[in-house]
Amino acid sequence: MGSAREALLDAAYEAIVAGDWSSARMADLAARAGVSRQTLYNEFGNRDQLAAALALREAERFRELTGRAAREAPGDDVGAATAASVAAALTAARDNPLIKATLTDDTSGLLPYLTTRSEAIMDVFREDSIAVFTERWPELADRPEVRAEVGWISETAFRLVISHLIIATEPVETTSEHIAEVVRRLMRNLKTDE
């Protein structure tokens, strides 16, 4: 069933990018994926669950990209890791057909997964950010209260990235540095609370 699931997610992706999402019936999506309508319902239950799964799959792809960028940033400065991660996310998003369609066609149903229903996506990035931050500053990993604090710092950065993604007000490099400085200051305060 794993391949049927991916085929269905691919079909949904294609429909959204083509601007066909609002008019596509579940049967159309199943046919596009080469599976039965019942298989689609077995995998996802309904259209909203299909959209949520697609948003989560795309988030995982971005998490791999941003996590790699953060881990490859030079030095042990969490700000540098954040800047690299944010720049990678915003650059990739700018060229991503699904994100473009989501931001320009509110009938896709995916915009809430970046905004009002973004909990699952936020969780993906929060966990990876916690891992990156505690790798950069290992002494923080030994303090049990730190995980929650690093989590909300990560969430703050995530929300800033999404805000810039929706309404870009400055170049990617500038935004990346600004968000990195916010994270750097919050993490510095966290370190001095030891």
Side-chain angles (χ1 to χ4, degrees):
M1 276 300 175
S3 61
R5 184 176 181 83
E6 286 303 309
L8 287 162
L9 290 171
D10 290 343
Y13 181 103
E14 292 165 10
I16 291 169
V17 169
D20 299 335
W21 180 256
S22 61
S23 62
R25 298 172 303 136
M26 293 294 267
D28 298 332
L29 296 171
R32 184 179 257 175
V35 301
S36 71
R37 191 175 68 180
Q38 188 57 49
T39 299
L40 189 154
Y41 284 113
N42 290 345
E43 284 291 332
F44 297 106
N46 61 43
R47 186 182 202 81
D48 284 344
Q49 290 173 356
L50 175 58
L54 179 59
L56 196 54
R57 182 180 79 169
E58 205 65 17
E60 282 291 343
R61 290 177 175 174
F62 270 81
R63 182 202 56 78
E64 289 174 17
L65 173 76
T66 59
R68 184 171 50 253
R71 287 175 173 86
E72 292 174 357
D76 67 351
D77 174 28
V78 77
T82 300
S85 179
V86 170
L90 291 175
T91 301
R94 180 180 55 205
D95 299 327
N96 184 294
L98 182 65
I99 292 185
K100 283 181 186 177
T102 299
L103 295 176
T104 58
D105 177 14
D106 63 359
T107 62
S108 72
L110 289 183
L111 188 57
Y113 294 101
L114 288 176
T115 56
T116 57
R117 296 170 68 184
S118 63
E119 300 89 3
I121 291 175
M122 197 177 309
D123 288 345
V124 167
F125 288 99
R126 182 187 302 112
E127 291 306 311
D128 201 54
S129 294
I130 289 169
V132 170
F133 289 168
T134 54
E135 286 167 17
R136 292 271 170 175
W137 282 325
E139 66 274 16
L140 297 177
D142 298 331
R143 297 172 52 210
E145 73 280 7
V146 166
R147 183 175 175 82
E149 301 240 6
V150 172
W152 72 256
I153 292 170
S154 301
E155 185 174 324
T156 299
F158 173 85
R159 290 176 187 274
L160 290 170
V161 169
I162 295 299
S163 177
H164 183 80
L165 182 62
I166 293 170
I167 303 173
T169 57
E170 55 194 11
V172 166
E173 296 75 21
T174 306
T175 297
S176 300
E177 286 303 324
H178 288 165
I179 294 173
E181 186 56 29
V182 168
V183 169
R184 191 179 286 117
R185 289 179 187 191
L186 291 171
M187 291 295 286
R188 191 177 301 132
N189 288 343
L190 185 57
K191 283 187 72 173
T192 57
D193 287 346
E194 295 180 272

